[in-house]
PDB file of all heavy atoms in Angstrom:
ATOM      1  N   VAL A  20      87.611  99.694 120.162  1.00 97.00           N
ATOM      2  CA  VAL A  20      87.488 100.896 119.339  1.00 97.00           C
ATOM      3  C   VAL A  20      88.280 100.750 118.035  1.00 97.00           C
ATOM      4  O   VAL A  20      87.774 100.979 116.984  1.00 97.00           O
ATOM      5  CB  VAL A  20      87.874 102.183 120.080  1.00 97.00           C
ATOM      6  CG1 VAL A  20      87.838 103.368 119.175  1.00 97.00           C
ATOM      7  CG2 VAL A  20      86.949 102.408 121.284  1.00 97.00           C
ATOM      8  N   ALA A  21      89.514 100.264 118.153  1.00 96.00           N
ATOM      9  CA  ALA A  21      90.380 100.146 117.023  1.00 96.00           C
ATOM     10  C   ALA A  21      89.806  99.074 115.981  1.00 96.00           C
ATOM     11  O   ALA A  21      89.776  99.399 114.767  1.00 96.00           O
ATOM     12  CB  ALA A  21      91.794  99.708 117.386  1.00 96.00           C
ATOM     13  N   ILE A  22      89.289  98.030 116.484  1.00 96.00           N
ATOM     14  CA  ILE A  22      88.656  96.997 115.679  1.00 96.00           C
ATOM     15  C   ILE A  22      87.445  97.593 114.932  1.00 96.00           C
ATOM     16  O   ILE A  22      87.257  97.357 113.742  1.00 96.00           O
ATOM     17  CB  ILE A  22      88.336  95.722 116.448  1.00 96.00           C
ATOM     18  CG1 ILE A  22      89.628  95.007 116.930  1.00 96.00           C
ATOM     19  CG2 ILE A  22      87.411  94.782 115.653  1.00 96.00           C
ATOM     20  CD1 ILE A  22      89.472  93.905 117.943  1.00 96.00           C
ATOM     21  N   ALA A  23      86.622  98.300 115.719  1.00 95.00           N
ATOM     22  CA  ALA A  23      85.399  98.870 115.094  1.00 95.00           C
ATOM     23  C   ALA A  23      85.790  99.912 114.023  1.00 95.00           C
ATOM     24  O   ALA A  23      85.144  99.922 112.958  1.00 95.00           O
ATOM     25  CB  ALA A  23      84.588  99.545 116.209  1.00 95.00           C
ATOM     26  N   VAL A  24      86.827 100.695 114.258  1.00 93.00           N
ATOM     27  CA  VAL A  24      87.247 101.703 113.289  1.00 93.00           C
ATOM     28  C   VAL A  24      87.718 100.994 111.970  1.00 93.00           C
ATOM     29  O   VAL A  24      87.365 101.429 110.912  1.00 93.00           O
ATOM     30  CB  VAL A  24      88.267 102.653 113.864  1.00 93.00           C
ATOM     31  CG1 VAL A  24      88.993 103.459 112.781  1.00 93.00           C
ATOM     32  CG2 VAL A  24      87.661 103.519 114.931  1.00 93.00           C
ATOM     33  N   LEU A  25      88.591 100.000 112.168  1.00 92.00           N
ATOM     34  CA  LEU A  25      89.112  99.278 111.012  1.00 92.00           C
ATOM     35  C   LEU A  25      87.953  98.561 110.222  1.00 92.00           C
ATOM     36  O   LEU A  25      87.979  98.617 108.962  1.00 92.00           O
ATOM     37  CB  LEU A  25      90.127  98.249 111.430  1.00 92.00           C
ATOM     38  CG  LEU A  25      91.539  98.730 111.762  1.00 92.00           C
ATOM     39  CD1 LEU A  25      92.378  97.622 112.312  1.00 92.00           C
ATOM     40  CD2 LEU A  25      92.199  99.349 110.494  1.00 92.00           C
ATOM     41  N   THR A  26      87.085  97.986 110.888  1.00 92.00           N
ATOM     42  CA  THR A  26      85.932  97.322 110.253  1.00 92.00           C
ATOM     43  C   THR A  26      85.038  98.362 109.491  1.00 92.00           C
ATOM     44  O   THR A  26      84.734  98.103 108.333  1.00 92.00           O
ATOM     45  CB  THR A  26      85.080  96.540 111.285  1.00 92.00           C
ATOM     46  OG1 THR A  26      85.921  95.697 111.997  1.00 92.00           O
ATOM     47  CG2 THR A  26      83.967  95.841 110.575  1.00 92.00           C
ATOM     48  N   GLU A  27      84.804  99.455 110.150  1.00 91.00           N
ATOM     49  CA  GLU A  27      83.954 100.498 109.486  1.00 91.00           C
ATOM     50  C   GLU A  27      84.663 101.072 108.268  1.00 91.00           C
ATOM     51  O   GLU A  27      84.054 101.316 107.254  1.00 91.00           O
ATOM     52  CB  GLU A  27      83.636 101.598 110.495  1.00 91.00           C
ATOM     53  CG  GLU A  27      82.653 102.603 109.956  1.00 91.00           C
ATOM     54  CD  GLU A  27      82.203 103.616 111.005  1.00 91.00           C
ATOM     55  OE1 GLU A  27      82.016 103.219 112.146  1.00 91.00           O
ATOM     56  OE2 GLU A  27      82.127 104.799 110.662  1.00 91.00           O
ATOM     57  N   ALA A  28      85.983 101.365 108.421  1.00 87.00           N
ATOM     58  CA  ALA A  28      86.732 101.899 107.321  1.00 87.00           C
ATOM     59  C   ALA A  28      86.784 100.957 106.160  1.00 87.00           C
ATOM     60  O   ALA A  28      86.702 101.370 104.979  1.00 87.00           O
ATOM     61  CB  ALA A  28      88.157 102.213 107.781  1.00 87.00           C
ATOM     62  N   GLY A  29      86.877  99.673 106.461  1.00 82.00           N
ATOM     63  CA  GLY A  29      86.834  98.710 105.435  1.00 82.00           C
ATOM     64  C   GLY A  29      85.523  98.598 104.724  1.00 82.00           C
ATOM     65  O   GLY A  29      85.412  98.406 103.448  1.00 82.00           O
ATOM     66  N   ASP A  30      84.414  98.745 105.514  1.00 81.00           N
ATOM     67  CA  ASP A  30      83.104  98.682 104.879  1.00 81.00           C
ATOM     68  C   ASP A  30      82.901  99.906 103.938  1.00 81.00           C
ATOM     69  O   ASP A  30      82.235  99.727 102.898  1.00 81.00           O
ATOM     70  CB  ASP A  30      82.023  98.736 106.015  1.00 81.00           C
ATOM     71  CG  ASP A  30      81.994  97.432 106.782  1.00 81.00           C
ATOM     72  OD1 ASP A  30      82.586  96.384 106.287  1.00 81.00           O
ATOM     73  OD2 ASP A  30      81.383  97.417 107.902  1.00 81.00           O
ATOM     74  N   GLN A  31      83.448 101.010 104.322  1.00 84.00           N
ATOM     75  CA  GLN A  31      83.285 102.295 103.497  1.00 84.00           C
ATOM     76  C   GLN A  31      84.205 102.275 102.279  1.00 84.00           C
ATOM     77  O   GLN A  31      83.846 102.763 101.259  1.00 84.00           O
ATOM     78  CB  GLN A  31      83.430 103.489 104.342  1.00 84.00           C
ATOM     79  CG  GLN A  31      82.359 103.687 105.351  1.00 84.00           C
ATOM     80  CD  GLN A  31      82.604 104.930 106.287  1.00 84.00           C
ATOM     81  OE1 GLN A  31      83.650 105.541 106.183  1.00 84.00           O
ATOM     82  NE2 GLN A  31      81.740 105.155 107.216  1.00 84.00           N
ATOM     83  N   GLY A  32      85.429 101.832 102.482  1.00 77.00           N
ATOM     84  CA  GLY A  32      86.415 101.902 101.457  1.00 77.00           C
ATOM     85  C   GLY A  32      86.524 100.678 100.597  1.00 77.00           C
ATOM     86  O   GLY A  32      87.243 100.678  99.595  1.00 77.00           O
ATOM     87  N   GLY A  33      85.843  99.542 100.948  1.00 77.00           N
ATOM     88  CA  GLY A  33      85.897  98.431 100.183  1.00 77.00           C
ATOM     89  C   GLY A  33      87.068  97.471 100.480  1.00 77.00           C
ATOM     90  O   GLY A  33      87.115  96.408  99.941  1.00 77.00           O
ATOM     91  N   PHE A  34      87.981  97.866 101.367  1.00 82.00           N
ATOM     92  CA  PHE A  34      89.113  97.024 101.676  1.00 82.00           C
ATOM     93  C   PHE A  34      89.202  96.918 103.265  1.00 82.00           C
ATOM     94  O   PHE A  34      89.355  97.868 103.892  1.00 82.00           O
ATOM     95  CB  PHE A  34      90.402  97.577 101.160  1.00 82.00           C
ATOM     96  CG  PHE A  34      91.617  96.782 101.618  1.00 82.00           C
ATOM     97  CD1 PHE A  34      91.910  95.561 101.084  1.00 82.00           C
ATOM     98  CD2 PHE A  34      92.436  97.313 102.567  1.00 82.00           C
ATOM     99  CE1 PHE A  34      93.039  94.826 101.453  1.00 82.00           C
ATOM    100  CE2 PHE A  34      93.592  96.577 103.006  1.00 82.00           C
ATOM    101  CZ  PHE A  34      93.833  95.379 102.467  1.00 82.00           C
ATOM    102  N   THR A  35      89.180  95.659 103.691  1.00 82.00           N
ATOM    103  CA  THR A  35      89.310  95.445 105.126  1.00 82.00           C
ATOM    104  C   THR A  35      90.564  94.649 105.341  1.00 82.00           C
ATOM    105  O   THR A  35      90.784  93.610 104.730  1.00 82.00           O
ATOM    106  CB  THR A  35      88.090  94.647 105.699  1.00 82.00           C
ATOM    107  OG1 THR A  35      86.880  95.341 105.365  1.00 82.00           O
ATOM    108  CG2 THR A  35      88.202  94.435 107.132  1.00 82.00           C
ATOM    109  N   ASP A  36      91.404  95.155 106.248  1.00 87.00           N
ATOM    110  CA  ASP A  36      92.655  94.475 106.494  1.00 87.00           C
ATOM    111  C   ASP A  36      92.387  93.413 107.575  1.00 87.00           C
ATOM    112  O   ASP A  36      92.433  93.598 108.810  1.00 87.00           O
ATOM    113  CB  ASP A  36      93.668  95.495 107.066  1.00 87.00           C
ATOM    114  CG  ASP A  36      95.081  94.937 107.244  1.00 87.00           C
ATOM    115  OD1 ASP A  36      95.223  93.696 107.058  1.00 87.00           O
ATOM    116  OD2 ASP A  36      95.999  95.681 107.555  1.00 87.00           O
ATOM    117  N   GLN A  37      92.042  92.231 107.009  1.00 91.00           N
ATOM    118  CA  GLN A  37      91.608  91.108 107.912  1.00 91.00           C
ATOM    119  C   GLN A  37      92.761  90.616 108.797  1.00 91.00           C
ATOM    120  O   GLN A  37      92.568  90.241 109.947  1.00 91.00           O
ATOM    121  CB  GLN A  37      91.069  89.933 107.066  1.00 91.00           C
ATOM    122  CG  GLN A  37      89.784  90.251 106.334  1.00 91.00           C
ATOM    123  CD  GLN A  37      88.654  90.439 107.313  1.00 91.00           C
ATOM    124  OE1 GLN A  37      88.583  89.859 108.377  1.00 91.00           O
ATOM    125  NE2 GLN A  37      87.742  91.348 106.950  1.00 91.00           N
ATOM    126  N   LEU A  38      94.004  90.692 108.329  1.00 94.00           N
ATOM    127  CA  LEU A  38      95.124  90.277 109.085  1.00 94.00           C
ATOM    128  C   LEU A  38      95.293  91.163 110.279  1.00 94.00           C
ATOM    129  O   LEU A  38      95.541  90.696 111.444  1.00 94.00           O
ATOM    130  CB  LEU A  38      96.383  90.259 108.218  1.00 94.00           C
ATOM    131  CG  LEU A  38      97.675  89.774 108.932  1.00 94.00           C
ATOM    132  CD1 LEU A  38      97.450  88.317 109.400  1.00 94.00           C
ATOM    133  CD2 LEU A  38      98.828  89.840 107.939  1.00 94.00           C
ATOM    134  N   GLN A  39      95.229  92.475 110.103  1.00 94.00           N
ATOM    135  CA  GLN A  39      95.363  93.397 111.212  1.00 94.00           C
ATOM    136  C   GLN A  39      94.226  93.230 112.232  1.00 94.00           C
ATOM    137  O   GLN A  39      94.470  93.260 113.423  1.00 94.00           O
ATOM    138  CB  GLN A  39      95.360  94.839 110.688  1.00 94.00           C
ATOM    139  CG  GLN A  39      95.625  95.897 111.798  1.00 94.00           C
ATOM    140  CD  GLN A  39      96.946  95.788 112.395  1.00 94.00           C
ATOM    141  OE1 GLN A  39      97.902  95.251 111.848  1.00 94.00           O
ATOM    142  NE2 GLN A  39      97.072  96.290 113.631  1.00 94.00           N
ATOM    143  N   ILE A  40      93.039  93.072 111.749  1.00 94.00           N
ATOM    144  CA  ILE A  40      91.928  92.819 112.618  1.00 94.00           C
ATOM    145  C   ILE A  40      92.121  91.547 113.445  1.00 94.00           C
ATOM    146  O   ILE A  40      91.821  91.469 114.678  1.00 94.00           O
ATOM    147  CB  ILE A  40      90.548  92.803 111.910  1.00 94.00           C
ATOM    148  CG1 ILE A  40      90.230  94.269 111.354  1.00 94.00           C
ATOM    149  CG2 ILE A  40      89.378  92.328 112.735  1.00 94.00           C
ATOM    150  CD1 ILE A  40      89.088  94.314 110.364  1.00 94.00           C
ATOM    151  N   ALA A  41      92.575  90.494 112.814  1.00 96.00           N
ATOM    152  CA  ALA A  41      92.778  89.233 113.492  1.00 96.00           C
ATOM    153  C   ALA A  41      93.845  89.392 114.570  1.00 96.00           C
ATOM    154  O   ALA A  41      93.723  88.857 115.677  1.00 96.00           O
ATOM    155  CB  ALA A  41      93.229  88.164 112.495  1.00 96.00           C
ATOM    156  N   ARG A  42      94.937  90.161 114.276  1.00 97.00           N
ATOM    157  CA  ARG A  42      95.947  90.417 115.232  1.00 97.00           C
ATOM    158  C   ARG A  42      95.364  91.166 116.499  1.00 97.00           C
ATOM    159  O   ARG A  42      95.751  90.824 117.611  1.00 97.00           O
ATOM    160  CB  ARG A  42      97.117  91.185 114.677  1.00 97.00           C
ATOM    161  CG  ARG A  42      97.949  90.329 113.711  1.00 97.00           C
ATOM    162  CD  ARG A  42      99.062  91.178 113.074  1.00 97.00           C
ATOM    163  NE  ARG A  42      99.845  90.340 112.210  1.00 97.00           N
ATOM    164  CZ  ARG A  42     100.556  90.828 111.184  1.00 97.00           C
ATOM    165  NH1 ARG A  42     100.557  92.121 110.888  1.00 97.00           N
ATOM    166  NH2 ARG A  42     101.229  90.005 110.475  1.00 97.00           N
ATOM    167  N   LEU A  43      94.600  92.175 116.181  1.00 97.00           N
ATOM    168  CA  LEU A  43      93.994  92.932 117.293  1.00 97.00           C
ATOM    169  C   LEU A  43      93.049  92.052 118.134  1.00 97.00           C
ATOM    170  O   LEU A  43      93.064  92.155 119.357  1.00 97.00           O
ATOM    171  CB  LEU A  43      93.248  94.127 116.724  1.00 97.00           C
ATOM    172  CG  LEU A  43      94.022  95.204 116.100  1.00 97.00           C
ATOM    173  CD1 LEU A  43      93.179  96.280 115.513  1.00 97.00           C
ATOM    174  CD2 LEU A  43      95.085  95.821 117.096  1.00 97.00           C
ATOM    175  N   LYS A  44      92.290  91.206 117.453  1.00 97.00           N
ATOM    176  CA  LYS A  44      91.392  90.288 118.231  1.00 97.00           C
ATOM    177  C   LYS A  44      92.181  89.318 119.095  1.00 97.00           C
ATOM    178  O   LYS A  44      91.773  88.983 120.212  1.00 97.00           O
ATOM    179  CB  LYS A  44      90.449  89.600 117.281  1.00 97.00           C
ATOM    180  CG  LYS A  44      89.365  90.487 116.715  1.00 97.00           C
ATOM    181  CD  LYS A  44      88.456  89.717 115.800  1.00 97.00           C
ATOM    182  CE  LYS A  44      87.246  90.636 115.276  1.00 97.00           C
ATOM    183  NZ  LYS A  44      86.323  89.886 114.482  1.00 97.00           N
ATOM    184  N   LYS A  45      93.311  88.868 118.582  1.00 98.00           N
ATOM    185  CA  LYS A  45      94.180  87.915 119.305  1.00 98.00           C
ATOM    186  C   LYS A  45      94.714  88.644 120.469  1.00 98.00           C
ATOM    187  O   LYS A  45      94.752  88.080 121.624  1.00 98.00           O
ATOM    188  CB  LYS A  45      95.228  87.340 118.414  1.00 98.00           C
ATOM    189  CG  LYS A  45      96.141  86.334 119.147  1.00 98.00           C
ATOM    190  CD  LYS A  45      97.155  85.768 118.173  1.00 98.00           C
ATOM    191  CE  LYS A  45      98.033  84.730 118.889  1.00 98.00           C
ATOM    192  NZ  LYS A  45      99.028  84.175 118.002  1.00 98.00           N
ATOM    193  N   ARG A  46      95.165  89.843 120.318  1.00 98.00           N
ATOM    194  CA  ARG A  46      95.725  90.648 121.453  1.00 98.00           C
ATOM    195  C   ARG A  46      94.571  90.838 122.501  1.00 98.00           C
ATOM    196  O   ARG A  46      94.857  90.805 123.677  1.00 98.00           O
ATOM    197  CB  ARG A  46      96.227  91.993 120.955  1.00 98.00           C
ATOM    198  CG  ARG A  46      96.676  92.989 121.941  1.00 98.00           C
ATOM    199  CD  ARG A  46      97.974  92.466 122.592  1.00 98.00           C
ATOM    200  NE  ARG A  46      98.359  93.510 123.596  1.00 98.00           N
ATOM    201  CZ  ARG A  46      99.067  93.195 124.719  1.00 98.00           C
ATOM    202  NH1 ARG A  46      99.460  91.957 124.924  1.00 98.00           N
ATOM    203  NH2 ARG A  46      99.338  94.128 125.519  1.00 98.00           N
ATOM    204  N   LYS A  47      93.382  91.062 122.039  1.00 98.00           N
ATOM    205  CA  LYS A  47      92.258  91.275 122.942  1.00 98.00           C
ATOM    206  C   LYS A  47      91.988  90.027 123.796  1.00 98.00           C
ATOM    207  O   LYS A  47      91.736  90.166 124.955  1.00 98.00           O
ATOM    208  CB  LYS A  47      91.039  91.641 122.064  1.00 98.00           C
ATOM    209  CG  LYS A  47      90.125  92.626 122.775  1.00 98.00           C
ATOM    210  CD  LYS A  47      88.986  92.999 121.827  1.00 98.00           C
ATOM    211  CE  LYS A  47      87.720  92.645 122.491  1.00 98.00           C
ATOM    212  NZ  LYS A  47      86.560  92.862 121.742  1.00 98.00           N
ATOM    213  N   LEU A  48      92.094  88.882 123.203  1.00 98.00           N
ATOM    214  CA  LEU A  48      91.922  87.659 123.945  1.00 98.00           C
ATOM    215  C   LEU A  48      92.945  87.420 124.969  1.00 98.00           C
ATOM    216  O   LEU A  48      92.743  86.915 126.073  1.00 98.00           O
ATOM    217  CB  LEU A  48      91.867  86.423 122.971  1.00 98.00           C
ATOM    218  CG  LEU A  48      90.585  86.278 122.147  1.00 98.00           C
ATOM    219  CD1 LEU A  48      90.757  85.170 121.123  1.00 98.00           C
ATOM    220  CD2 LEU A  48      89.461  86.024 123.001  1.00 98.00           C
ATOM    221  N   ILE A  49      94.221  87.741 124.569  1.00 98.00           N
ATOM    222  CA  ILE A  49      95.353  87.621 125.569  1.00 98.00           C
ATOM    223  C   ILE A  49      95.078  88.561 126.740  1.00 98.00           C
ATOM    224  O   ILE A  49      95.299  88.181 127.918  1.00 98.00           O
ATOM    225  CB  ILE A  49      96.679  87.986 124.837  1.00 98.00           C
ATOM    226  CG1 ILE A  49      97.034  86.889 123.856  1.00 98.00           C
ATOM    227  CG2 ILE A  49      97.802  88.157 125.906  1.00 98.00           C
ATOM    228  CD1 ILE A  49      98.182  87.256 122.905  1.00 98.00           C
ATOM    229  N   LEU A  50      94.633  89.778 126.451  1.00 98.00           N
ATOM    230  CA  LEU A  50      94.384  90.738 127.572  1.00 98.00           C
ATOM    231  C   LEU A  50      93.270  90.189 128.446  1.00 98.00           C
ATOM    232  O   LEU A  50      93.228  90.327 129.629  1.00 98.00           O
ATOM    233  CB  LEU A  50      93.976  92.093 126.990  1.00 98.00           C
ATOM    234  CG  LEU A  50      95.095  92.858 126.304  1.00 98.00           C
ATOM    235  CD1 LEU A  50      94.542  94.150 125.660  1.00 98.00           C
ATOM    236  CD2 LEU A  50      96.178  93.225 127.358  1.00 98.00           C
ATOM    237  N   LYS A  51      92.218  89.638 127.805  1.00 98.00           N
ATOM    238  CA  LYS A  51      91.093  89.088 128.585  1.00 98.00           C
ATOM    239  C   LYS A  51      91.555  87.985 129.527  1.00 98.00           C
ATOM    240  O   LYS A  51      91.124  87.964 130.685  1.00 98.00           O
ATOM    241  CB  LYS A  51      90.037  88.516 127.670  1.00 98.00           C
ATOM    242  CG  LYS A  51      88.774  87.974 128.304  1.00 98.00           C
ATOM    243  CD  LYS A  51      87.761  87.549 127.254  1.00 98.00           C
ATOM    244  CE  LYS A  51      86.543  86.986 127.984  1.00 98.00           C
ATOM    245  NZ  LYS A  51      85.618  86.411 127.050  1.00 98.00           N
ATOM    246  N   ASP A  52      92.460  87.097 129.115  1.00 98.00           N
ATOM    247  CA  ASP A  52      93.000  86.103 129.921  1.00 98.00           C
ATOM    248  C   ASP A  52      93.796  86.683 131.061  1.00 98.00           C
ATOM    249  O   ASP A  52      93.708  86.214 132.232  1.00 98.00           O
ATOM    250  CB  ASP A  52      93.918  85.144 129.139  1.00 98.00           C
ATOM    251  CG  ASP A  52      93.121  84.289 128.164  1.00 98.00           C
ATOM    252  OD1 ASP A  52      91.904  84.122 128.331  1.00 98.00           O
ATOM    253  OD2 ASP A  52      93.756  83.752 127.233  1.00 98.00           O
ATOM    254  N   ARG A  53      94.610  87.703 130.829  1.00 97.00           N
ATOM    255  CA  ARG A  53      95.409  88.367 131.839  1.00 97.00           C
ATOM    256  C   ARG A  53      94.489  89.041 132.859  1.00 97.00           C
ATOM    257  O   ARG A  53      94.749  88.973 134.097  1.00 97.00           O
ATOM    258  CB  ARG A  53      96.433  89.356 131.291  1.00 97.00           C
ATOM    259  CG  ARG A  53      97.478  88.680 130.519  1.00 97.00           C
ATOM    260  CD  ARG A  53      98.487  89.661 129.953  1.00 97.00           C
ATOM    261  NE  ARG A  53      99.557  88.943 129.205  1.00 97.00           N
ATOM    262  CZ  ARG A  53     100.397  89.593 128.489  1.00 97.00           C
ATOM    263  NH1 ARG A  53     100.388  90.929 128.342  1.00 97.00           N
ATOM    264  NH2 ARG A  53     101.320  88.920 127.785  1.00 97.00           N
ATOM    265  N   ILE A  54      93.416  89.670 132.386  1.00 97.00           N
ATOM    266  CA  ILE A  54      92.405  90.294 133.296  1.00 97.00           C
ATOM    267  C   ILE A  54      91.811  89.245 134.172  1.00 97.00           C
ATOM    268  O   ILE A  54      91.708  89.480 135.370  1.00 97.00           O
ATOM    269  CB  ILE A  54      91.396  91.064 132.451  1.00 97.00           C
ATOM    270  CG1 ILE A  54      92.039  92.312 131.794  1.00 97.00           C
ATOM    271  CG2 ILE A  54      90.204  91.450 133.306  1.00 97.00           C
ATOM    272  CD1 ILE A  54      91.123  92.951 130.768  1.00 97.00           C
ATOM    273  N   SER A  55      91.440  88.124 133.618  1.00 96.00           N
ATOM    274  CA  SER A  55      90.816  87.081 134.472  1.00 96.00           C
ATOM    275  C   SER A  55      91.803  86.545 135.501  1.00 96.00           C
ATOM    276  O   SER A  55      91.353  86.316 136.658  1.00 96.00           O
ATOM    277  CB  SER A  55      90.408  85.914 133.558  1.00 96.00           C
ATOM    278  OG  SER A  55      89.427  86.327 132.645  1.00 96.00           O
ATOM    279  N   ILE A  56      93.036  86.396 135.163  1.00 95.00           N
ATOM    280  CA  ILE A  56      94.058  85.928 136.133  1.00 95.00           C
ATOM    281  C   ILE A  56      94.123  86.909 137.288  1.00 95.00           C
ATOM    282  O   ILE A  56      94.160  86.506 138.456  1.00 95.00           O
ATOM    283  CB  ILE A  56      95.377  85.672 135.472  1.00 95.00           C
ATOM    284  CG1 ILE A  56      95.296  84.468 134.504  1.00 95.00           C
ATOM    285  CG2 ILE A  56      96.481  85.526 136.479  1.00 95.00           C
ATOM    286  CD1 ILE A  56      96.489  84.341 133.607  1.00 95.00           C
ATOM    287  N   ILE A  57      94.242  88.181 136.979  1.00 95.00           N
ATOM    288  CA  ILE A  57      94.372  89.191 138.035  1.00 95.00           C
ATOM    289  C   ILE A  57      93.145  89.230 138.933  1.00 95.00           C
ATOM    290  O   ILE A  57      93.202  89.317 140.127  1.00 95.00           O
ATOM    291  CB  ILE A  57      94.790  90.557 137.473  1.00 95.00           C
ATOM    292  CG1 ILE A  57      96.156  90.530 136.873  1.00 95.00           C
ATOM    293  CG2 ILE A  57      94.650  91.660 138.571  1.00 95.00           C
ATOM    294  CD1 ILE A  57      96.565  91.754 136.108  1.00 95.00           C
ATOM    295  N   GLU A  58      91.968  89.203 138.206  1.00 94.00           N
ATOM    296  CA  GLU A  58      90.707  89.216 139.011  1.00 94.00           C
ATOM    297  C   GLU A  58      90.594  87.978 139.955  1.00 94.00           C
ATOM    298  O   GLU A  58      90.169  88.087 141.062  1.00 94.00           O
ATOM    299  CB  GLU A  58      89.510  89.229 138.083  1.00 94.00           C
ATOM    300  CG  GLU A  58      89.287  90.549 137.382  1.00 94.00           C
ATOM    301  CD  GLU A  58      88.226  90.568 136.320  1.00 94.00           C
ATOM    302  OE1 GLU A  58      87.801  89.491 135.878  1.00 94.00           O
ATOM    303  OE2 GLU A  58      87.712  91.619 136.005  1.00 94.00           O
ATOM    304  N   ASP A  59      91.059  86.850 139.466  1.00 92.00           N
ATOM    305  CA  ASP A  59      91.057  85.660 140.344  1.00 92.00           C
ATOM    306  C   ASP A  59      91.983  85.823 141.537  1.00 92.00           C
ATOM    307  O   ASP A  59      91.691  85.297 142.593  1.00 92.00           O
ATOM    308  CB  ASP A  59      91.512  84.419 139.516  1.00 92.00           C
ATOM    309  CG  ASP A  59      90.489  83.968 138.540  1.00 92.00           C
ATOM    310  OD1 ASP A  59      89.244  84.382 138.646  1.00 92.00           O
ATOM    311  OD2 ASP A  59      90.789  83.160 137.652  1.00 92.00           O
ATOM    312  N   ASN A  60      93.089  86.485 141.319  1.00 90.00           N
ATOM    313  CA  ASN A  60      94.012  86.719 142.430  1.00 90.00           C
ATOM    314  C   ASN A  60      93.420  87.747 143.451  1.00 90.00           C
ATOM    315  O   ASN A  60      93.728  87.660 144.637  1.00 90.00           O
ATOM    316  CB  ASN A  60      95.349  87.230 141.898  1.00 90.00           C
ATOM    317  CG  ASN A  60      96.188  86.158 141.276  1.00 90.00           C
ATOM    318  OD1 ASN A  60      96.105  84.971 141.642  1.00 90.00           O
ATOM    319  ND2 ASN A  60      97.006  86.521 140.317  1.00 90.00           N
TER     320      ASN A  60
END
């Protein structure tokens, strides 16, 4: 949701904080890995 909001706000306002979006996506990947580990257990 946060990534979608930032992307949409950037589309409307003309400025997208690519660094912040990249950080959120990286955090999302880390969470996905942790989720996979727990599911495997």
Side-chain angles (χ1 to χ4, degrees):
V20 172
I22 291 169
V24 167
L25 281 174
T26 303
E27 186 175 319
D30 291 344
Q31 292 176 358
F34 174 75
T35 303
D36 188 354
Q37 293 295 328
L38 183 59
Q39 183 66 23
I40 291 173
R42 287 177 179 155
L43 292 175
K44 287 182 177 182
K45 183 176 180 180
R46 174 72 179 148
K47 215 175 123 182
L48 286 173
I49 291 168
L50 290 174
K51 184 178 177 185
D52 289 342
R53 289 182 183 171
I54 289 169
S55 295
I56 290 169
I57 293 174
E58 286 175 341
D59 288 345
N60 286 329

